[in-house]
Amino acid sequence: MGDIVAAVLSIPPLAAYLLVFALVFAEDAAFVGFVVPGETAAVVGGVIANQGKADIWVMVPLVVVAAVAGDTAGYEVGKHLGPKLLGSRALRRHRERLGDAQEFLARRGGWAVFLGRFVAFFRAVTPALAGASHMRYRTFLAYNALGGLVWGIGFTLLGYLAGASYEAVAKTVGRDVAAVVVAVALVVVIVWRVRRSRRKRRVQRRSGGGQ
């Protein structure tokens, strides 16, 4: 990552803004996240601002807008391509993880869009899966905007505050955030299953009592 930052620091500020925007946007719109995780680009944007090569008050909203717009583009790709996208060569090797993402989206709906923003693989595929499943765009946009806002502000400011320690922070935070989100997702699934089991038992008791 040090080479990336060094290269970006050597280009004009406008080009740096455009590069960070493009990387964050393309992560979900074109599955670039399989190669360059979006949080890396967001953290680099913060580091650039820390080095005085960009304005943090421009970089933060830029990253947020890129995140929300990229997810929206990914949603439209999934909506219009659907099965062709899911059967593509790019996703074939990720079949098992893709199935997990589809199941989580089916169970949690909009919250899967929000939580998926904080896990690299889910962030790259969830928007397209939401579009392919015909989730209402209004619902998708609400959770997409919330996730993009929290994620964009958080990771860009982390890069800004980390300064020279950006590499360790990017690796540690990316790993820890993923672990926290996975834990939250597991809790959500457990609660959902417990509630479903209780509803089934209530229905069975009512059916038995009515006979």
Side-chain angles (χ1 to χ4, degrees), residues 27-28 37 39 71 104 111-124 126 143-155 158 173-182 184:
E27 178 181 33
D28 307 335
E39 68 260 14
D71 276 16
F104 188 51
W111 282 111
V113 175
F114 173 79
L115 293 172
R117 163 54 58 184
F118 299 91
V119 181
F121 179 80
F122 280 23
R123 183 168 58 247
T126 297
Y143 288 96
N144 171 33
L146 179 61
L149 185 67
V150 175
W151 178 89
I153 293 174
F155 276 97
L158 277 170
V173 171
R175 182 176 63 248
D176 291 348
V177 167
V180 170
V181 172
V182 169
V184 171

Side-chain angles (χ1 to χ4, degrees), residues 153-196:
I153 293 174
F155 276 97
T156 308
L157 288 182
L158 277 170
Y160 182 78
L161 296 174
S165 304
Y166 60 84
E167 188 167 0
V169 169
K171 290 180 180 178
T172 301
V173 171
R175 182 176 63 248
D176 291 348
V177 167
V180 170
V181 172
V182 169
V184 171
L186 288 174
V187 171
V188 169
V189 170
I190 291 171
V191 170
W192 176 78
R193 287 184 173 177
V194 169
R195 289 182 176 178
R196 185 180 64 172

